[in-house]
Amino acid sequence: MGKMLSLFRLMRPKQWSKNLLILGAPFAARELFHTQHIREVIYAVVTFSMISSACYIINDIQDMQMDQLNDKKRNRPIASGDVLRFEALLLFVVLVILGWILANYLPKSFQLVLASYFILTNLYSFGLKNLPVVEFFIVAFGFTLRAIAGGAATQLPITKWFLLVTGFGSLVIVISKRIAESRNTTHVSKRPVIAAYSPGFLNLVLAIAVSSSLIAYCLWSFSLVREHPYAQFSLIPICIGLFRYLWLVSRGQGEEPEELLFKDMVLVLCGIFAGILLYLSVYRSGG
């Protein structure tokens, strides 16, 4: 039982929440709840969860020695010795096979996006994560690929504003994570690429990413003012949530964004209100 739990932890189930970005394209196209797309969306989310978990396993194998020096990461299954290297590799193979079997039920365009994610993520694990700037753009692009995968799986169009919001929004999360890692990690356990960033540089990039994501969201929401009267009002919870997140990052949080986003009640409420307004703008307004 303990081994099974360790193998499950190795797949990083908390990270599966990122794959909800796949729902974005069919949601914005008013097709999310259509019967013909429900199966495609479910298959796409499950497939991406399997493949992303497989990629996390490779990354954990590569980072084993560094993780053992980190007070938080030393408890990861591979670093702690709960899961042996060959057991992790076996799980990796199983997840990849199952993921690609499921992907065969989806369009070729989705398979191409999935393959791009798989290759890019593993290139990151095997060396690109040590290249300053390049590494955080790759992580952010991983989020964007998930959004693109939603459109590819359902063969629905994706607006340029949706991609811009996703891209710059992802960059906000990634840079915030780097800032938290830089502050909370000791010199011995700090990855070289994190040590290469000065606080001033990270804060500058964060400011650019925040500004760009807000501008893109504003342009999208106000372009729908006639057709979707609720879209522009979603700016209120979006701005509150974004600045609340930045405030939490300034206090040393943000190293585990997937936990922070669901743990802070203000962020949760902002997400709920923004979701309701976006649902009304897309599914309950005229046009």
Side-chain angles (χ1 to χ4, degrees), residues 226-276:
R226 295 181 180 178
E227 183 180 357
H228 307 309
Y230 300 101
Q232 66 274 24
F233 292 112
S234 67
L235 272 168
I236 298 174
I238 289 292
C239 286
I240 294 174
L242 179 58
F243 293 134
R244 170 76 177 187
Y245 187 81
L246 295 176
W247 176 74
L248 291 171
V249 170
S250 72
R251 294 172 62 86
Q253 301 184 56
E255 193 170 351
E256 300 292 342
E258 62 280 353
E259 293 183 6
L260 182 60
L261 290 172
F262 294 102
K263 185 173 65 175
D264 185 80
M265 188 54 60
V266 175
L267 292 179
V268 171
L269 290 175
C270 286
I272 291 174
F273 282 118
I276 292 173

Side-chain angles (χ1 to χ4, degrees), residues 43 48 51 58 86 111 136 233:
Y43 278 20
F48 241 93
I51 297 300
I58 295 299
F86 84 91
Q111 296 174 25
F136 63 65
F233 292 112

Side-chain angles (χ1 to χ4, degrees), residues 183-245:
R183 291 176 177 174
N184 300 337
T185 310
T186 62
H187 178 73
V188 175
S189 60
K190 186 179 295 184
R191 289 194 293 139
V193 71
I194 302 298
Y197 297 132
S198 68
F201 172 77
L202 289 176
N203 288 329
L204 176 61
V205 176
L206 180 62
I208 294 172
V210 169
S211 301
S212 300
S213 59
L214 277 180
I215 291 172
Y217 191 87
C218 286
L219 291 173
W220 173 76
S221 61
F222 279 95
S223 70
L224 300 177
V225 64
R226 295 181 180 178
E227 183 180 357
H228 307 309
Y230 300 101
Q232 66 274 24
F233 292 112
S234 67
L235 272 168
I236 298 174
I238 289 292
C239 286
I240 294 174
L242 179 58
F243 293 134
R244 170 76 177 187
Y245 187 81

Side-chain angles (χ1 to χ4, degrees), residues 1-278:
M1 186 65 180
K3 178 67 70 173
M4 294 300 295
L5 181 59
S6 295
L7 289 171
F8 183 70
R9 286 176 50 227
L10 181 60
M11 294 191 294
R12 298 197 202 178
K14 293 180 180 180
Q15 304 287 345
W16 292 345
S17 59
K18 298 176 182 178
N19 299 321
L20 294 179
L21 281 170
I22 292 173
L23 279 60
F27 175 86
R30 302 185 184 186
E31 299 285 344
L32 180 60
F33 303 108
H34 284 203
T35 305
Q36 67 185 72
H37 295 309
I38 292 178
R39 180 183 65 87
E40 297 166 338
V41 169
I42 293 174
Y43 278 20
V45 171
V46 174
T47 300
F48 241 93
S49 296
M50 289 180 178
I51 297 300
S52 61
S53 289
C55 294
Y56 291 137
I57 290 174
I58 295 299
N59 188 68
D60 283 357
I61 292 175
Q62 292 295 110
D63 284 352
M64 180 179 67
Q65 293 182 340
M66 185 64 69
D67 288 347
Q68 290 171 341
L69 300 174
N70 189 290
D71 292 336
K72 295 181 180 179
K73 297 180 180 180
R74 67 174 55 177
N75 294 320
R76 286 180 173 177
I78 296 178
S80 64
D82 291 338
V83 174
L84 301 178
R85 183 186 179 93
F86 84 91
E87 294 173 331
L89 288 173
L90 180 60
L91 180 59
F92 166 82
V93 172
V94 171
L95 288 172
V96 171
I97 292 175
L98 292 177
W100 280 107
I101 289 175
L102 201 57
N104 285 326
Y105 292 95
L106 294 169
K108 295 294 183 182
S109 55
F110 173 83
Q111 296 174 25
L112 179 61
V113 175
L114 187 65
S116 300
Y117 173 85
F118 181 77
I119 294 171
L120 188 62
T121 304
N122 282 294
L123 287 175
Y124 171 88
S125 296
F126 282 104
L128 293 182
K129 63 183 175 184
N130 297 316
L131 296 179
V133 179
V134 173
E135 59 89 17
F136 63 65
F137 268 104
I138 290 177
V139 177
F141 189 55
F143 285 88
T144 308
L145 283 175
R146 288 174 169 86
I148 296 173
T154 55
Q155 297 184 304
L156 294 170
I158 302 177
T159 66
K160 58 184 179 181
W161 299 122
F162 177 72
L163 287 179
L164 284 173
V165 171
T166 303
F168 285 113
S170 302
L171 200 57
V172 170
I173 293 177
V174 176
I175 297 302
S176 297
K177 180 178 174 67
R178 295 294 178 267
I179 291 175
E181 288 175 330
S182 180
R183 291 176 177 174
N184 300 337
T185 310
T186 62
H187 178 73
V188 175
S189 60
K190 186 179 295 184
R191 289 194 293 139
V193 71
I194 302 298
Y197 297 132
S198 68
F201 172 77
L202 289 176
N203 288 329
L204 176 61
V205 176
L206 180 62
I208 294 172
V210 169
S211 301
S212 300
S213 59
L214 277 180
I215 291 172
Y217 191 87
C218 286
L219 291 173
W220 173 76
S221 61
F222 279 95
S223 70
L224 300 177
V225 64
R226 295 181 180 178
E227 183 180 357
H228 307 309
Y230 300 101
Q232 66 274 24
F233 292 112
S234 67
L235 272 168
I236 298 174
I238 289 292
C239 286
I240 294 174
L242 179 58
F243 293 134
R244 170 76 177 187
Y245 187 81
L246 295 176
W247 176 74
L248 291 171
V249 170
S250 72
R251 294 172 62 86
Q253 301 184 56
E255 193 170 351
E256 300 292 342
E258 62 280 353
E259 293 183 6
L260 182 60
L261 290 172
F262 294 102
K263 185 173 65 175
D264 185 80
M265 188 54 60
V266 175
L267 292 179
V268 171
L269 290 175
C270 286
I272 291 174
F273 282 118
I276 292 173
L277 289 170
L278 288 174

